Amino acid sequence: SLLGLTGLRRRQVGRLSGGEMQRVAIASALALRTRVLALDEPTSQLDPQSAEELLDTLARLNRELGLTVVLSEHRLERVVGYATHMIYLGGDGLAPVSGPARQVLPHIPLVPPVVELGRVLGWQPLPLTVEEGLPLARRSPLLATAVAERSSGEGPGVRPGVVALLVRDLHVAYADRPALRGIDLAVHEGEVVALMGRNGAGKTTLLRAVAGLARVQQGEVTVGGRSIAGRSVADICRSVGYLPQNPNALLFADTVREEILITLRNHGLQAHPPIPPAALLERLGLSELADAYPRDLSAGERQRVALAAIAATHPALLLLDEPTRGLDYCAKEALLKLLQEWRDDGMAILLVTHDVELVARVADRVILLEEGKIRVDGSPASVLGDSPAFAPQMARLFPGRGWLTVEDVLMAGRVTGSADRC
Ligand code: ATP
């Protein structure tokens, strides 16, 4: 019950959603009642609310039972407020930096948005969490600036063009349990749509249905004006790139380069690749790994190889399921730029993610799914801004302003400062 699994007690583990499965794994580790718990990105597939509940639980077990928790995490904004001690491994043979978060954070190139803003504005003491930043934000002269100004999410991003994906009254069920209950959705060329929601809401099922991998019970899916009904997955994937939650499912070649070449050959594009493979590897920070065996790589590297393999054809519609899982801030930054470029080239991108900071920076529209139905569909500011569960750090720091990112805040305050991250 601590991990919200009571209702799933009788379910087969292999048939749970990614986040549900992650919670089962954590529960089984906790059940061992060891004195030390080592967790490798335990919140990577959890929705923000479940992540917070898990971290609260771990903090309580630490306080009350003396449990030692060693936890690796890329999404610092989620964990920094809980950590009594932090170790930063810079890689490339650099010595680790170790100490209380306040001492370690200055050595980390990329930090949570509230820390980044605090650095630019010279806030002292530097806030590590939104809670610590709130008193400083309330006294900030930035609050005198106009409410409506913001840079991301609206403006050039919103330009509904041709409909790339149309979903009408879509119903999907597993056995007799409904997973999608009447989804209506359109994604346009040149648009990044973020699909968010609690674990088990049906996000992965929706992507799978569009890629032809889940059986459609009722309703219709049209990609590029053509219905997917009766078509093979291979045929659908001529115009759809689908990155599943588990990238291992896509990796089977002997080298990273070969993964891309296989995709190109399968699509008959080897002579004229839409994106030169070397350039794609470079953009994803994989050049030095071109000859490596994909399955030996780290989770974040495998994630990027899988993305390279499905994006090599420059598909008209890109479906991404948790693409930032396992990515450090720099890799995430590179991905973000790539998505923006592809979007500007006219690609339609449907992005499933629990990463609210990523959504704040890249999405043109946000859809919240709840128990297989669309609850809200709107601009990032309108959907995330006031949401208790999904608001990014800047929206919590400056409620009611419509600011979602550090850039929004700095632009509204006409502050020049670095938001240069990598
Ligand atoms: P998460 O954020 O945890 O990845 P999600 O929103 O992607 O979740 P889905 O994986 O689409 O959720 O699952 C939707 C519902 O369908 C959940 O209740 C899940 O337990 C159930 N489900 C998923 N896959 C199967 C399956 N193969 N068989 C039976 N039920 C399934």
Side-chain angles (χ1 to χ4, degrees):
S1 73
L2 215 52
L3 284 147
L5 294 167
T6 314
L8 302 175
R9 223 170 354 177
R10 299 190 198 290
R11 296 277 305 279
Q12 267 186 42
V13 175
R15 295 192 171 169
L16 298 176
S17 79
E20 290 164 346
M21 241 187 254
Q22 193 165 29
R23 296 211 305 267
V24 174
I26 295 163
S28 57
L30 278 173
L32 295 172
R33 291 184 166 248
T34 52
R35 291 177 51 207
V36 179
L37 200 56
L39 301 170
D40 195 350
E41 292 191 57
T43 72
S44 62
Q45 294 189 66
L46 300 192
D47 62 69
Q49 195 176 327
S50 302
E52 202 176 317
E53 283 165 12
L54 169 69
L55 293 166
D56 283 341
T57 302
L58 292 175
R60 213 179 79 215
L61 294 173
N62 167 264
R63 255 190 339 265
E64 294 174 5
L65 302 177
L67 176 77
T68 298
V69 181
V70 185
L71 182 152
S72 75
E73 185 58 68
H74 287 302
R75 294 182 200 169
L76 286 184
E77 62 274 6
R78 282 189 169 181
V79 294
V80 90
Y82 293 90
T84 42
H85 196 91
M86 203 164 158
I87 303 171
Y88 172 61
L89 304 175
D92 288 337
L94 293 173
V97 188
S98 162
R102 206 170 291 285
Q103 278 172 26
V104 175
L105 278 173
H107 299 276
I108 302 183
L110 292 159
V111 290
V114 63
V115 181
E116 189 183 331
L117 185 73
R119 277 181 182 174
V120 176
L121 299 179
W123 280 352
Q124 288 296 336
L126 187 66
L128 303 186
T129 60
V130 170
E131 205 178 1
E132 289 178 13
L134 271 171
L136 293 146
R138 287 192 190 117
R139 289 200 298 274
S140 167
L142 285 169
L143 287 181
T145 53
V147 171
E149 291 185 74
R150 68 182 302 274
S151 63
S152 58
E154 273 141 349
V158 178
R159 58 202 135 179
V162 179
V163 174
L165 166 68
L166 190 64
V167 175
R168 274 209 212 108
D169 191 32
L170 179 67
H171 291 252
V172 173
Y174 295 106
D176 52 0
R177 189 179 313 110
L180 296 178
R181 301 184 293 155
I183 300 286
D184 288 296
L185 163 74
V187 181
H188 303 84
E189 286 179 0
E191 193 179 34
V192 178
V193 177
L195 189 59
M196 307 185 80
R198 303 284 321 252
N199 292 128
K203 304 178 294 294
T204 296
T205 305
L206 178 53
L207 295 197
R208 286 174 53 81
V210 173
L213 292 161
R215 206 172 62 81
V216 172
Q217 241 188 347
Q218 184 186 318
E220 197 184 14
V221 177
T222 311
V223 176
R226 269 184 77 198
S227 166
I228 64 161
R231 287 165 60 193
S232 68
V233 174
D235 184 36
I236 296 168
C237 288
R238 296 210 158 271
S239 47
V240 179
Y242 169 48
L243 179 71
Q245 216 165 25
N246 175 5
N248 292 344
L250 289 181
L251 304 179
F252 51 87
D254 288 334
T255 66
V256 168
R257 187 185 293 106
E258 192 59 22
E259 294 287 1
I260 298 182
L261 297 179
I262 289 175
T263 308
L264 292 173
R265 277 199 295 276
N266 285 346
H267 286 76
L269 291 169
Q270 65 272 43
H272 304 285
I275 314 173
L280 186 58
L281 291 176
E282 164 99 43
R283 291 301 303 274
L284 288 164
L286 294 168
S287 297
E288 285 173 15
L289 298 174
D291 294 314
Y293 181 58
R295 287 175 165 262
D296 281 349
L297 300 176
S298 79
E301 289 162 349
R302 271 178 282 139
Q303 189 79 6
R304 281 177 284 151
V305 176
L307 177 63
I310 58 139
T313 60
H314 206 283
L317 173 66
L318 195 57
L319 309 173
L320 304 175
D321 203 342
E322 284 287 342
T324 60
R325 190 150 62 100
L327 297 196
D328 62 38
Y329 273 91
C330 281
K332 200 152 101 175
E333 209 57 33
L335 174 69
L336 206 129
K337 291 207 174 88
L338 213 48
L339 294 184
Q340 283 163 340
E341 262 174 45
W342 288 341
R343 183 248 327 258
D344 293 343
D345 278 354
M347 207 185 266
I349 302 174
L350 184 56
L351 168 72
V352 167
T353 183
H354 295 298
D355 189 337
V356 292
E357 303 298 340
L358 174 83
V359 172
R361 294 188 50 210
V362 76
D364 300 303
R365 235 169 79 211
V366 182
I367 292 175
L368 285 190
L369 213 58
E370 199 174 270
E371 295 179 2
K373 283 187 171 168
I374 291 180
R375 187 162 66 83
V376 199
D377 179 347
S379 73
S382 69
V383 178
L384 301 181
D386 306 323
S387 157
F390 295 100
Q393 286 201 324
M394 290 303 117
R396 289 169 200 260
L397 211 52
F398 299 101
R401 296 265 144 181
W403 301 333
L404 301 182
T405 65
V406 173
E407 279 88 352
D408 291 341
V409 176
L410 296 181
M411 194 175 278
R414 299 192 169 75
V415 180
T416 46
S418 93
D420 188 17
R421 293 174 176 85
C422 278

